Amino acid sequence: MHRKLMILTLLAALNATAADGQQTSPEGTLSSVATLSRVLHLDASQLSKLPTREQLEGGPVKLAPAPPLSHLQVYAVGSSNQGWEYPSANTYATALDHGGPVLLVVILEIGYGYSRFAKMNGGQLPSSANYLDEALCWNAYGQLAYCSAGQTVAGWLRYYDVSGYESGSFTYQNTSTNSPWNTMYTQISIR
Protein backbone atom coordinates (compact mmCIF):
# COMPACT_ATOMS: atom_id res chain seq x y z
CA MET A 1 0.00 0.00 0.00
CA HIS A 2 2.89 2.35 0.80
CA ARG A 3 4.35 1.82 -2.70
CA LYS A 4 1.02 2.68 -4.39
CA LEU A 5 0.70 5.85 -2.32
CA MET A 6 4.27 6.84 -3.22
CA ILE A 7 3.62 6.31 -6.94
CA LEU A 8 0.34 8.24 -6.85
CA THR A 9 2.09 11.09 -5.02
CA LEU A 10 4.91 11.16 -7.62
CA LEU A 11 2.45 11.17 -10.51
CA ALA A 12 0.30 13.86 -8.91
CA ALA A 13 3.41 16.01 -8.53
CA LEU A 14 4.36 15.42 -12.18
CA ASN A 15 0.87 16.29 -13.36
CA ALA A 16 0.72 19.37 -11.15
CA THR A 17 3.91 20.80 -12.68
CA ALA A 18 2.92 20.00 -16.26
CA ALA A 19 0.83 22.50 -18.19
CA ASP A 20 -0.40 21.02 -21.46
CA GLY A 21 2.56 18.64 -21.54
CA GLN A 22 5.16 21.38 -21.02
CA GLN A 23 6.91 23.01 -18.11
CA THR A 24 9.27 25.93 -17.76
CA SER A 25 12.86 25.07 -16.92
CA PRO A 26 14.89 27.23 -14.50
CA GLU A 27 16.36 29.05 -17.52
CA GLY A 28 12.82 29.97 -18.64
CA THR A 29 12.71 27.80 -21.78
CA LEU A 30 9.95 25.26 -22.35
CA SER A 31 10.76 21.57 -22.22
CA SER A 32 8.48 18.61 -22.88
CA VAL A 33 7.24 16.68 -19.85
CA ALA A 34 5.71 13.24 -20.40
CA THR A 35 3.31 12.22 -17.67
CA LEU A 36 1.43 9.05 -16.88
CA SER A 37 -2.23 8.77 -16.09
CA ARG A 38 -3.02 10.05 -12.60
CA VAL A 39 -4.67 6.75 -11.71
CA LEU A 40 -1.90 4.60 -13.19
CA HIS A 41 -4.07 2.84 -15.73
CA LEU A 42 -4.86 3.27 -19.39
CA ASP A 43 -8.10 5.06 -20.16
CA ALA A 44 -10.50 3.77 -22.82
CA SER A 45 -8.96 5.97 -25.53
CA GLN A 46 -5.62 4.18 -25.04
CA LEU A 47 -7.12 0.79 -25.99
CA SER A 48 -7.20 1.60 -29.71
CA LYS A 49 -3.97 -0.33 -30.32
CA LEU A 50 -5.39 -3.60 -28.96
CA PRO A 51 -5.66 -6.36 -31.58
CA THR A 52 -9.12 -7.21 -32.89
CA ARG A 53 -10.77 -10.58 -32.42
CA GLU A 54 -10.31 -11.33 -36.11
CA GLN A 55 -6.57 -10.59 -35.89
CA LEU A 56 -6.14 -12.88 -32.89
CA GLU A 57 -8.50 -15.72 -33.76
CA GLY A 58 -8.88 -15.53 -37.54
CA GLY A 59 -12.59 -14.72 -37.42
CA PRO A 60 -15.67 -15.34 -35.29
CA VAL A 61 -15.48 -18.08 -32.71
CA LYS A 62 -18.01 -19.60 -30.36
CA LEU A 63 -17.90 -18.15 -26.87
CA ALA A 64 -17.29 -20.59 -24.05
CA PRO A 65 -16.56 -20.19 -20.36
CA ALA A 66 -12.91 -19.83 -19.34
CA PRO A 67 -11.25 -19.60 -22.74
CA PRO A 68 -7.72 -21.03 -22.76
CA LEU A 69 -4.74 -18.72 -22.72
CA SER A 70 -4.16 -17.76 -26.35
CA HIS A 71 -2.23 -14.47 -26.48
CA LEU A 72 0.34 -12.59 -24.36
CA GLN A 73 1.87 -9.28 -25.28
CA VAL A 74 3.62 -6.35 -23.62
CA TYR A 75 0.97 -3.76 -24.47
CA ALA A 76 2.49 -0.65 -22.91
CA VAL A 77 5.53 0.57 -21.01
CA GLY A 78 5.14 3.76 -19.01
CA SER A 79 7.71 5.90 -17.26
CA SER A 80 7.91 9.27 -15.62
CA ASN A 81 10.51 10.25 -18.26
CA GLN A 82 8.53 9.24 -21.36
CA GLY A 83 4.85 8.63 -20.55
CA TRP A 84 3.18 5.63 -22.22
CA GLU A 85 4.80 3.77 -25.13
CA TYR A 86 2.93 1.05 -27.07
CA PRO A 87 5.38 -1.44 -28.61
CA SER A 88 3.95 -3.53 -31.45
CA ALA A 89 3.33 -7.23 -30.83
CA ASN A 90 6.54 -8.24 -32.61
CA THR A 91 8.81 -5.71 -30.89
CA TYR A 92 11.28 -6.92 -28.31
CA ALA A 93 12.68 -3.56 -27.17
CA THR A 94 11.26 -0.14 -26.38
CA ALA A 95 11.98 2.64 -28.85
CA LEU A 96 12.06 5.28 -26.12
CA ASP A 97 14.67 5.67 -23.40
CA HIS A 98 12.56 5.13 -20.27
CA GLY A 99 13.63 5.84 -16.73
CA GLY A 100 12.92 8.10 -13.82
CA PRO A 101 11.24 7.33 -10.51
CA VAL A 102 8.22 5.51 -12.01
CA LEU A 103 8.42 2.57 -14.45
CA LEU A 104 5.32 0.51 -15.33
CA VAL A 105 4.61 -2.40 -17.69
CA VAL A 106 1.16 -3.40 -18.95
CA ILE A 107 0.58 -6.96 -20.22
CA LEU A 108 -2.27 -7.88 -22.57
CA GLU A 109 -3.43 -11.41 -21.77
CA ILE A 110 -6.20 -13.11 -23.77
CA GLY A 111 -7.76 -16.16 -22.12
CA TYR A 112 -7.44 -17.46 -18.60
CA GLY A 113 -4.27 -18.52 -16.85
CA TYR A 114 -3.51 -19.67 -13.33
CA SER A 115 0.27 -19.51 -12.89
CA ARG A 116 1.62 -16.01 -13.50
CA PHE A 117 5.28 -15.08 -13.15
CA ALA A 118 6.85 -11.69 -13.84
CA LYS A 119 10.58 -11.02 -13.75
CA MET A 120 12.78 -7.98 -14.12
CA ASN A 121 16.42 -8.58 -15.06
CA GLY A 122 15.99 -12.28 -14.21
CA GLY A 123 14.69 -11.72 -10.68
CA GLN A 124 11.12 -12.74 -9.89
CA LEU A 125 8.93 -9.79 -8.92
CA PRO A 126 6.79 -10.02 -5.77
CA SER A 127 3.05 -10.45 -6.31
CA SER A 128 2.59 -6.90 -5.01
CA ALA A 129 4.30 -5.59 -8.18
CA ASN A 130 1.05 -6.56 -10.01
CA TYR A 131 -0.90 -3.56 -8.73
CA LEU A 132 -3.95 -3.73 -11.04
CA ASP A 133 -5.82 -6.20 -13.28
CA GLU A 134 -8.50 -4.85 -15.62
CA ALA A 135 -10.95 -7.18 -17.38
CA LEU A 136 -11.40 -6.90 -21.15
CA CYS A 137 -14.38 -8.09 -23.21
CA TRP A 138 -15.14 -8.31 -26.93
CA ASN A 139 -17.51 -5.58 -28.07
CA ALA A 140 -20.00 -5.83 -30.96
CA TYR A 141 -17.29 -4.74 -33.41
CA GLY A 142 -14.86 -7.50 -32.44
CA GLN A 143 -12.63 -5.12 -30.52
CA LEU A 144 -11.39 -5.48 -26.96
CA ALA A 145 -12.77 -2.93 -24.52
CA TYR A 146 -13.27 -2.58 -20.79
CA CYS A 147 -16.11 -4.88 -19.72
CA SER A 148 -19.64 -3.79 -18.96
CA ALA A 149 -22.00 -5.63 -16.62
CA GLY A 150 -23.08 -9.00 -18.02
CA GLN A 151 -20.29 -9.41 -20.56
CA THR A 152 -18.00 -12.45 -20.65
CA VAL A 153 -14.38 -11.64 -19.78
CA ALA A 154 -12.07 -12.45 -22.69
CA GLY A 155 -8.78 -11.26 -21.22
CA TRP A 156 -6.96 -8.84 -18.99
CA LEU A 157 -4.67 -5.87 -18.84
CA ARG A 158 -2.20 -6.70 -16.06
CA TYR A 159 -0.23 -3.78 -14.64
CA TYR A 160 3.22 -4.20 -13.10
CA ASP A 161 5.20 -1.62 -11.15
CA VAL A 162 8.92 -2.08 -11.78
CA SER A 163 9.93 1.31 -10.38
CA GLY A 164 13.51 1.34 -9.17
CA TYR A 165 14.83 -0.12 -12.42
CA GLU A 166 16.16 2.40 -14.93
CA SER A 167 16.17 -0.21 -17.70
CA GLY A 168 16.38 -3.94 -18.22
CA SER A 169 14.58 -7.06 -19.41
CA PHE A 170 10.98 -7.62 -18.31
CA THR A 171 9.52 -11.12 -18.83
CA TYR A 172 6.05 -12.46 -18.09
CA GLN A 173 4.61 -15.97 -18.36
CA ASN A 174 1.35 -17.71 -17.57
CA THR A 175 -0.14 -21.19 -18.00
CA SER A 176 -3.66 -21.83 -19.31
CA THR A 177 -6.30 -22.93 -16.78
CA ASN A 178 -7.68 -25.51 -19.18
CA SER A 179 -6.88 -27.48 -22.31
CA PRO A 180 -4.37 -27.27 -23.90
CA TRP A 181 -2.74 -26.18 -20.58
CA ASN A 182 -0.12 -24.33 -22.60
CA THR A 183 2.46 -22.01 -21.08
CA MET A 184 3.07 -18.73 -22.88
CA TYR A 185 5.53 -15.95 -22.27
CA THR A 186 6.40 -12.49 -23.52
CA GLN A 187 9.31 -10.18 -22.87
CA ILE A 188 10.66 -6.75 -23.66
CA SER A 189 13.97 -5.01 -23.21
CA ILE A 190 13.30 -1.61 -21.66
CA ARG A 191 15.81 1.07 -22.61
Side-chain angles (χ1 to χ4, degrees), residues 33 37 44-45 55 60 71 73 75 80 88 130-131 135 140 153 157 168 172 187:
V33 176
S37 168
S45 69
Q55 290 169 323
H71 182 81
Q73 170 187 342
Y75 182 66
S80 48
S88 68
N130 177 208
Y131 67 91
V153 174
L157 287 177
Y172 175 85
Q187 67 181 32

Side-chain angles (χ1 to χ4, degrees), residues 103-190:
L103 184 58
L104 309 172
V105 178
V106 182
I107 300 297
L108 168 62
E109 182 176 307
I110 304 300
Y112 286 74
Y114 73 94
S115 182
R116 296 181 288 181
F117 294 96
K119 295 181 180 182
M120 189 68 185
N121 291 338
Q124 188 167 335
L125 295 170
S127 61
S128 62
N130 177 208
Y131 67 91
L132 179 65
D133 292 323
E134 292 184 304
L136 297 173
C137 295
W138 296 113
N139 67 19
Y141 306 103
Q143 298 169 324
L144 287 165
Y146 291 125
C147 296
S148 299
Q151 288 187 293
T152 302
V153 174
W156 309 90
L157 287 177
R158 303 210 187 270
Y159 294 76
Y160 284 86
D161 175 11
V162 292
S163 298
Y165 294 93
E166 285 291 314
S167 62
S169 177
F170 177 88
T171 58
Y172 175 85
Q173 80 172 39
N174 202 350
T175 301
S176 185
T177 58
N178 52 19
S179 180
W181 296 282
N182 56 308
T183 297
M184 299 182 77
Y185 82 98
T186 186
Q187 67 181 32
I188 193 157
S189 177
I190 301 171

